[in-house]
């Protein structure tokens, strides 16, 4: 008998937006794994820290690189593939020992979540269950009280890492949009929004539902600095 692998969505940051099922799994699992950049603490863990049992085995999974190497370079791809291979092997060792492993994921595990890389490597070998979580984008639009689309209107979810021309094209084709993965790409996102004629309705949300959250019209933001937990909402007219 092996343990069961759980991909657990912990929501957008507010501990009260954790689902009842996620709370139950986290409180009962023998091992709780969480991703973080080396030298940093896990945001997902901070959401559920008060629910961790004193005797739980914690398994930090620390990225060897994030933005130090460009993602289209072979060195980055090789480092990340090796990281996920090693992380999967570590999790598998606990599963083989009969321990249930809950892998924490900000938002939802299958929505840009790091967990999905473990799922791809382990789900065919072990009993697996994914616990849906409230996504960061829905937490943001709810926090600012801004609906994005109605009726038959089209919503696009776009990573700001796309090439600028492609980003502008896709923005021009949709009614509402959410721009994810801003970071160093905010200036590019501004230009793409302007090219698509939607800069005037873009809303910048930083750390939505978390302590220190802030929001403003993108045109009012004085700089192009954006952390990882930031999105741009583009509501329909």
């Amino acid at each position: 008998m092996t343990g069961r692998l759980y991909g657990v969505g912990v929501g957008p940051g507010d501990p009260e937006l954790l689902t009842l099922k996620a709370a139950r799994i986290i409180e009962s699992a023998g091992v709780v794994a969480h991703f973080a950049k080396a030298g940093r603490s896990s945001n997902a863990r901070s959401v559920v820290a008060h629910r961790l049992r004193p005797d739980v085995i914690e398994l930090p999974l620390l990225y060897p690189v994030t933005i130090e190497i460009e993602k289209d370079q072979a060195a980055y791809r090789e480092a990340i593939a090796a990281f996920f291979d090693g992380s999967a092997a570590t999790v598998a060792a606990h599963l083989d020992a009969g321990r249930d492993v809950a892998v924490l994921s900000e938002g939802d595990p299958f929505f840009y979540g790091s967990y999905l890389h473990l799922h791809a490597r382990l789900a065919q070998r072990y009993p697996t269950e994914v616990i849906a979580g409230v996504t960061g984008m829905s937490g943001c639009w709810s926090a600012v009280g801004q609906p994005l689309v109605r009726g038959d209107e089209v919503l696009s979810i776009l990573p700001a890492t796309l090439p600028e021309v492609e980003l502008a094209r896709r923005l021009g084709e949709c009614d509402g949009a959410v721009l994810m993965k801003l970071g160093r790409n905010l200036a590019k996102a501004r230009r793409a929004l302007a090219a698509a004629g939607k800069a005037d309705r873009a809303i910048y949300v930083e750390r939505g539902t978390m302590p220190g959250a802030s929001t403003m019209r993108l045109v009012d933001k004085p700089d192009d600095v954006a952390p990882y937990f930031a999105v741009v909402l583009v509501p329909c007219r």
Side-chain angles (χ1 to χ4, degrees):
M1 295 292 291
T2 68
R4 178 177 288 268
L5 174 64
Y6 293 95
V8 184
V10 301
D14 182 347
E16 292 188 325
L17 293 177
L18 185 73
T19 67
L20 294 173
K21 188 169 187 178
R24 175 174 60 80
I25 296 302
I26 291 165
E27 291 168 353
S28 64
V31 180
V32 172
H34 37 80
F35 291 95
K37 182 177 180 177
R40 303 257 184 105
S41 58
S42 165
N43 287 285
R45 184 194 182 280
S46 68
V47 174
V48 303
H50 62 295
R51 296 187 179 276
L52 299 178
R53 299 197 324 261
D55 62 338
V56 72
I57 299 172
E58 290 198 53
L59 183 60
L61 304 173
L62 305 178
Y63 299 107
V65 294
T66 50
I67 61 173
E68 297 82 2
I69 305 174
E70 294 297 330
K71 293 187 176 182
D72 59 354
Q73 294 188 15
Y76 177 87
R77 294 193 298 269
E78 291 168 2
I80 288 298
F83 165 67
F84 283 120
D85 287 343
S87 297
T90 302
V91 170
H94 285 287
L95 295 171
D96 288 337
R99 304 183 190 100
D100 290 346
V101 180
V103 181
L104 307 182
S105 190
E106 294 104 336
D108 183 272
F110 279 171
F111 186 69
Y112 293 118
S114 294
Y115 164 77
L116 61 87
H117 298 283
L118 299 184
H119 188 88
R121 289 163 169 80
L122 299 173
Q124 299 301 314
R125 297 162 48 195
Y126 299 96
T128 304
E129 184 175 355
V130 177
I131 314 302
V134 177
T135 62
M137 61 178 182
S138 60
C140 288
W141 66 54
S142 298
V144 301
Q146 178 62 65
L148 292 196
V149 285
R150 305 172 180 82
D152 295 330
E153 292 166 336
V154 176
L155 175 67
S156 291
I157 313 301
L158 303 171
T161 50
L162 287 173
E164 186 174 331
V165 172
E166 178 70 4
L167 197 57
R169 181 184 69 79
R170 290 177 179 269
L171 284 166
E173 292 175 348
C174 65
D175 300 300
V178 179
L179 297 181
M180 315 280 294
K181 302 185 179 183
L182 293 177
R184 297 178 296 171
N185 299 292
L186 183 54
K188 177 176 65 175
R190 284 184 194 266
R191 296 191 299 268
L193 284 161
K198 292 178 176 171
D200 61 327
R201 47 182 151 135
I203 302 169
Y204 175 81
V205 184
E206 182 173 305
R207 300 184 66 83
T209 82
M210 303 179 193
S214 65
T215 181
M216 67 192 77
R217 296 174 66 229
L218 183 60
V219 295
D220 296 330
K221 183 168 168 53
D223 56 46
D224 290 321
V225 178
Y228 178 80
F229 290 103
V231 302
V232 169
L233 307 176
V234 186
C236 62
R237 290 196 185 280

